[in-house]
mmCIF file of all heavy atoms in Angstrom:
data_model
loop_
_atom_site.group_PDB
_atom_site.id
_atom_site.type_symbol
_atom_site.label_atom_id
_atom_site.label_comp_id
_atom_site.label_asym_id
_atom_site.label_seq_id
_atom_site.Cartn_x
_atom_site.Cartn_y
_atom_site.Cartn_z
ATOM 1 N N GLY A 37 -76.748 10.030 54.229
ATOM 2 C CA GLY A 37 -75.649 10.990 54.321
ATOM 3 C C GLY A 37 -75.206 11.451 52.947
ATOM 4 O O GLY A 37 -74.890 12.634 52.744
ATOM 5 N N ALA A 38 -75.205 10.521 52.004
ATOM 6 C CA ALA A 38 -74.791 10.869 50.635
ATOM 7 C C ALA A 38 -75.727 11.907 50.028
ATOM 8 O O ALA A 38 -75.286 12.793 49.290
ATOM 9 C CB ALA A 38 -74.755 9.615 49.767
ATOM 10 N N ARG A 39 -77.011 11.810 50.321
ATOM 11 C CA ARG A 39 -77.945 12.807 49.789
ATOM 12 C C ARG A 39 -77.618 14.190 50.336
ATOM 13 O O ARG A 39 -77.601 15.175 49.593
ATOM 14 C CB ARG A 39 -79.390 12.433 50.122
ATOM 15 C CG ARG A 39 -80.388 13.519 49.766
ATOM 16 C CD ARG A 39 -81.805 13.036 49.800
ATOM 17 N NE ARG A 39 -82.077 12.052 48.770
ATOM 18 C CZ ARG A 39 -82.270 12.337 47.475
ATOM 19 N NH1 ARG A 39 -82.213 13.596 47.062
ATOM 20 N NH2 ARG A 39 -82.508 11.384 46.611
ATOM 21 N N ALA A 40 -77.347 14.272 51.629
ATOM 22 C CA ALA A 40 -77.017 15.570 52.231
ATOM 23 C C ALA A 40 -75.755 16.144 51.591
ATOM 24 O O ALA A 40 -75.676 17.352 51.312
ATOM 25 C CB ALA A 40 -76.834 15.412 53.738
ATOM 26 N N ILE A 41 -74.767 15.290 51.370
ATOM 27 C CA ILE A 41 -73.521 15.741 50.735
ATOM 28 C C ILE A 41 -73.789 16.165 49.297
ATOM 29 O O ILE A 41 -73.364 17.241 48.854
ATOM 30 C CB ILE A 41 -72.462 14.614 50.786
ATOM 31 C CG1 ILE A 41 -72.013 14.376 52.229
ATOM 32 C CG2 ILE A 41 -71.269 14.957 49.882
ATOM 33 C CD1 ILE A 41 -71.137 13.142 52.409
ATOM 34 N N ALA A 42 -74.506 15.336 48.551
ATOM 35 C CA ALA A 42 -74.750 15.622 47.128
ATOM 36 C C ALA A 42 -75.517 16.925 46.944
ATOM 37 O O ALA A 42 -75.250 17.691 46.012
ATOM 38 C CB ALA A 42 -75.499 14.458 46.493
ATOM 39 N N GLU A 43 -76.462 17.175 47.834
ATOM 40 C CA GLU A 43 -77.273 18.391 47.683
ATOM 41 C C GLU A 43 -76.476 19.654 48.010
ATOM 42 O O GLU A 43 -76.845 20.746 47.585
ATOM 43 C CB GLU A 43 -78.524 18.285 48.547
ATOM 44 C CG GLU A 43 -79.505 17.251 47.989
ATOM 45 C CD GLU A 43 -80.758 17.075 48.834
ATOM 46 O OE1 GLU A 43 -80.785 17.600 49.974
ATOM 47 O OE2 GLU A 43 -81.688 16.403 48.352
ATOM 48 N N ALA A 44 -75.392 19.510 48.766
ATOM 49 C CA ALA A 44 -74.568 20.671 49.128
ATOM 50 C C ALA A 44 -73.335 20.800 48.230
ATOM 51 O O ALA A 44 -72.545 21.740 48.392
ATOM 52 C CB ALA A 44 -74.119 20.544 50.586
ATOM 53 N N LEU A 45 -73.170 19.875 47.303
ATOM 54 C CA LEU A 45 -71.943 19.798 46.509
ATOM 55 C C LEU A 45 -71.765 21.039 45.621
ATOM 56 O O LEU A 45 -72.651 21.356 44.826
ATOM 57 C CB LEU A 45 -72.033 18.543 45.637
ATOM 58 C CG LEU A 45 -70.746 17.892 45.142
ATOM 59 C CD1 LEU A 45 -69.884 17.431 46.297
ATOM 60 C CD2 LEU A 45 -71.117 16.723 44.221
ATOM 61 N N PRO A 46 -70.652 21.748 45.739
ATOM 62 C CA PRO A 46 -70.405 22.860 44.824
ATOM 63 C C PRO A 46 -70.385 22.368 43.369
ATOM 64 O O PRO A 46 -70.079 21.196 43.102
ATOM 65 C CB PRO A 46 -69.028 23.376 45.254
ATOM 66 C CG PRO A 46 -68.875 22.943 46.672
ATOM 67 C CD PRO A 46 -69.577 21.622 46.751
ATOM 68 N N ALA A 47 -70.662 23.258 42.458
ATOM 69 C CA ALA A 47 -70.833 22.873 41.056
ATOM 70 C C ALA A 47 -69.619 22.158 40.485
ATOM 71 O O ALA A 47 -69.746 21.246 39.678
ATOM 72 C CB ALA A 47 -71.155 24.107 40.221
ATOM 73 N N ASP A 48 -68.433 22.558 40.899
ATOM 74 C CA ASP A 48 -67.225 21.985 40.318
ATOM 75 C C ASP A 48 -66.576 20.916 41.206
ATOM 76 O O ASP A 48 -65.428 20.544 41.000
ATOM 77 C CB ASP A 48 -66.215 23.093 40.008
ATOM 78 C CG ASP A 48 -65.949 23.972 41.222
ATOM 79 O OD1 ASP A 48 -66.598 23.747 42.271
ATOM 80 O OD2 ASP A 48 -65.101 24.869 41.122
ATOM 81 N N ALA A 49 -67.316 20.418 42.190
ATOM 82 C CA ALA A 49 -66.784 19.377 43.069
ATOM 83 C C ALA A 49 -67.269 18.003 42.601
ATOM 84 O O ALA A 49 -68.262 17.894 41.877
ATOM 85 C CB ALA A 49 -67.232 19.617 44.501
ATOM 86 N N THR A 50 -66.548 16.951 43.025
ATOM 87 C CA THR A 50 -66.950 15.581 42.703
ATOM 88 C C THR A 50 -67.209 14.822 43.997
ATOM 89 O O THR A 50 -66.650 15.142 45.047
ATOM 90 C CB THR A 50 -65.872 14.851 41.895
ATOM 91 O OG1 THR A 50 -64.674 14.763 42.693
ATOM 92 C CG2 THR A 50 -65.576 15.568 40.593
ATOM 93 N N PHE A 51 -68.045 13.792 43.905
ATOM 94 C CA PHE A 51 -68.415 13.025 45.101
ATOM 95 C C PHE A 51 -68.582 11.558 44.738
ATOM 96 O O PHE A 51 -69.391 11.196 43.880
ATOM 97 C CB PHE A 51 -69.723 13.583 45.684
ATOM 98 C CG PHE A 51 -70.287 12.763 46.825
ATOM 99 C CD1 PHE A 51 -69.476 12.238 47.825
ATOM 100 C CD2 PHE A 51 -71.658 12.542 46.912
ATOM 101 C CE1 PHE A 51 -70.001 11.484 48.865
ATOM 102 C CE2 PHE A 51 -72.203 11.792 47.950
ATOM 103 C CZ PHE A 51 -71.369 11.262 48.930
ATOM 104 N N VAL A 52 -67.820 10.698 45.412
ATOM 105 C CA VAL A 52 -67.954 9.252 45.239
ATOM 106 C C VAL A 52 -68.272 8.637 46.603
ATOM 107 O O VAL A 52 -67.687 9.012 47.617
ATOM 108 C CB VAL A 52 -66.673 8.630 44.626
ATOM 109 C CG1 VAL A 52 -65.435 8.913 45.470
ATOM 110 C CG2 VAL A 52 -66.846 7.134 44.421
ATOM 111 N N THR A 53 -69.225 7.711 46.604
ATOM 112 C CA THR A 53 -69.602 7.020 47.845
ATOM 113 C C THR A 53 -69.587 5.523 47.587
ATOM 114 O O THR A 53 -70.020 5.066 46.516
ATOM 115 C CB THR A 53 -70.961 7.522 48.376
ATOM 116 O OG1 THR A 53 -71.297 6.761 49.548
ATOM 117 C CG2 THR A 53 -72.085 7.406 47.346
ATOM 118 N N VAL A 54 -69.092 4.744 48.552
ATOM 119 C CA VAL A 54 -68.788 3.326 48.325
ATOM 120 C C VAL A 54 -69.528 2.455 49.338
ATOM 121 O O VAL A 54 -69.482 2.727 50.547
ATOM 122 C CB VAL A 54 -67.266 3.085 48.433
ATOM 123 C CG1 VAL A 54 -66.926 1.652 48.053
ATOM 124 C CG2 VAL A 54 -66.499 4.059 47.544
ATOM 125 N N GLU A 55 -70.195 1.415 48.829
ATOM 126 C CA GLU A 55 -70.978 0.499 49.677
ATOM 127 C C GLU A 55 -70.822 -0.930 49.159
ATOM 128 O O GLU A 55 -71.158 -1.205 48.005
ATOM 129 C CB GLU A 55 -72.450 0.923 49.661
ATOM 130 C CG GLU A 55 -73.411 -0.041 50.337
ATOM 131 C CD GLU A 55 -73.070 -0.287 51.808
ATOM 132 O OE1 GLU A 55 -72.877 0.676 52.560
ATOM 133 O OE2 GLU A 55 -72.982 -1.473 52.190
ATOM 134 N N PRO A 56 -70.355 -1.863 50.001
ATOM 135 C CA PRO A 56 -70.137 -3.231 49.519
ATOM 136 C C PRO A 56 -71.383 -4.115 49.527
ATOM 137 O O PRO A 56 -71.436 -5.106 48.799
ATOM 138 C CB PRO A 56 -69.089 -3.776 50.497
ATOM 139 C CG PRO A 56 -69.328 -3.011 51.759
ATOM 140 C CD PRO A 56 -69.798 -1.651 51.337
ATOM 141 N N ASP A 57 -72.358 -3.788 50.351
ATOM 142 C CA ASP A 57 -73.547 -4.644 50.447
ATOM 143 C C ASP A 57 -74.436 -4.447 49.218
ATOM 144 O O ASP A 57 -74.879 -3.322 48.948
ATOM 145 C CB ASP A 57 -74.331 -4.296 51.717
ATOM 146 C CG ASP A 57 -75.561 -5.159 51.860
ATOM 147 O OD1 ASP A 57 -75.413 -6.296 52.337
ATOM 148 O OD2 ASP A 57 -76.656 -4.727 51.449
ATOM 149 N N PRO A 58 -74.719 -5.516 48.459
ATOM 150 C CA PRO A 58 -75.451 -5.354 47.195
ATOM 151 C C PRO A 58 -76.840 -4.740 47.368
ATOM 152 O O PRO A 58 -77.249 -3.899 46.573
ATOM 153 C CB PRO A 58 -75.536 -6.787 46.650
ATOM 154 C CG PRO A 58 -74.452 -7.527 47.336
ATOM 155 C CD PRO A 58 -74.285 -6.906 48.677
ATOM 156 N N ALA A 59 -77.577 -5.164 48.385
ATOM 157 C CA ALA A 59 -78.934 -4.644 48.571
ATOM 158 C C ALA A 59 -78.895 -3.157 48.954
ATOM 159 O O ALA A 59 -79.692 -2.351 48.450
ATOM 160 C CB ALA A 59 -79.655 -5.459 49.636
ATOM 161 N N ARG A 60 -77.991 -2.807 49.839
ATOM 162 C CA ARG A 60 -77.861 -1.396 50.235
ATOM 163 C C ARG A 60 -77.388 -0.550 49.049
ATOM 164 O O ARG A 60 -77.860 0.563 48.834
ATOM 165 C CB ARG A 60 -76.897 -1.258 51.412
ATOM 166 C CG ARG A 60 -77.471 -1.807 52.699
ATOM 167 C CD ARG A 60 -76.550 -1.628 53.889
ATOM 168 N NE ARG A 60 -77.249 -2.012 55.110
ATOM 169 C CZ ARG A 60 -77.033 -1.509 56.298
ATOM 170 N NH1 ARG A 60 -76.103 -0.594 56.466
ATOM 171 N NH2 ARG A 60 -77.726 -1.902 57.342
ATOM 172 N N TYR A 61 -76.446 -1.096 48.304
ATOM 173 C CA TYR A 61 -75.963 -0.377 47.109
ATOM 174 C C TYR A 61 -77.110 -0.103 46.144
ATOM 175 O O TYR A 61 -77.244 1.009 45.623
ATOM 176 C CB TYR A 61 -74.868 -1.199 46.431
ATOM 177 C CG TYR A 61 -74.587 -0.761 45.024
ATOM 178 C CD1 TYR A 61 -73.868 0.401 44.762
ATOM 179 C CD2 TYR A 61 -75.089 -1.495 43.941
ATOM 180 C CE1 TYR A 61 -73.644 0.815 43.450
ATOM 181 C CE2 TYR A 61 -74.869 -1.090 42.647
ATOM 182 C CZ TYR A 61 -74.147 0.070 42.406
ATOM 183 O OH TYR A 61 -73.937 0.488 41.118
ATOM 184 N N ALA A 62 -77.942 -1.115 45.901
ATOM 185 C CA ALA A 62 -79.061 -0.954 44.959
ATOM 186 C C ALA A 62 -80.042 0.097 45.460
ATOM 187 O O ALA A 62 -80.500 0.957 44.690
ATOM 188 C CB ALA A 62 -79.761 -2.295 44.760
ATOM 189 N N GLU A 63 -80.351 0.044 46.735
ATOM 190 C CA GLU A 63 -81.300 1.013 47.291
ATOM 191 C C GLU A 63 -80.725 2.436 47.229
ATOM 192 O O GLU A 63 -81.414 3.388 46.845
ATOM 193 C CB GLU A 63 -81.646 0.636 48.735
ATOM 194 C CG GLU A 63 -82.731 1.506 49.328
ATOM 195 C CD GLU A 63 -83.259 0.985 50.666
ATOM 196 O OE1 GLU A 63 -83.155 -0.248 50.918
ATOM 197 O OE2 GLU A 63 -83.768 1.792 51.450
ATOM 198 N N ALA A 64 -79.457 2.563 47.586
ATOM 199 C CA ALA A 64 -78.827 3.896 47.571
ATOM 200 C C ALA A 64 -78.689 4.417 46.141
ATOM 201 O O ALA A 64 -78.914 5.609 45.884
ATOM 202 C CB ALA A 64 -77.454 3.825 48.241
ATOM 203 N N SER A 65 -78.343 3.542 45.220
ATOM 204 C CA SER A 65 -78.206 3.973 43.825
ATOM 205 C C SER A 65 -79.510 4.552 43.307
ATOM 206 O O SER A 65 -79.518 5.590 42.630
ATOM 207 C CB SER A 65 -77.792 2.802 42.935
ATOM 208 O OG SER A 65 -76.483 2.413 43.223
ATOM 209 N N ALA A 66 -80.620 3.889 43.634
ATOM 210 C CA ALA A 66 -81.926 4.387 43.195
ATOM 211 C C ALA A 66 -82.241 5.721 43.859
ATOM 212 O O ALA A 66 -82.711 6.669 43.209
ATOM 213 C CB ALA A 66 -82.994 3.355 43.504
ATOM 214 N N ALA A 67 -81.956 5.802 45.148
ATOM 215 C CA ALA A 67 -82.283 7.030 45.890
ATOM 216 C C ALA A 67 -81.451 8.228 45.428
ATOM 217 O O ALA A 67 -81.887 9.375 45.514
ATOM 218 C CB ALA A 67 -82.075 6.800 47.386
ATOM 219 N N LEU A 68 -80.251 7.945 44.930
ATOM 220 C CA LEU A 68 -79.316 9.022 44.566
ATOM 221 C C LEU A 68 -79.240 9.244 43.050
ATOM 222 O O LEU A 68 -78.402 10.020 42.579
ATOM 223 C CB LEU A 68 -77.917 8.701 45.106
ATOM 224 C CG LEU A 68 -77.817 8.622 46.636
ATOM 225 C CD1 LEU A 68 -76.513 7.961 47.059
ATOM 226 C CD2 LEU A 68 -77.926 10.012 47.252
#
Side-chain angles (χ1 to χ4, degrees):
R39 172 167 294 283
I41 292 171
E43 289 178 349
L45 204 61
D48 53 357
T50 62
F51 173 42
V52 58
T53 177
V54 186
E55 172 59 50
D57 180 82
R60 289 182 172 210
Y61 164 75
E63 186 170 335
S65 291
L68 297 166

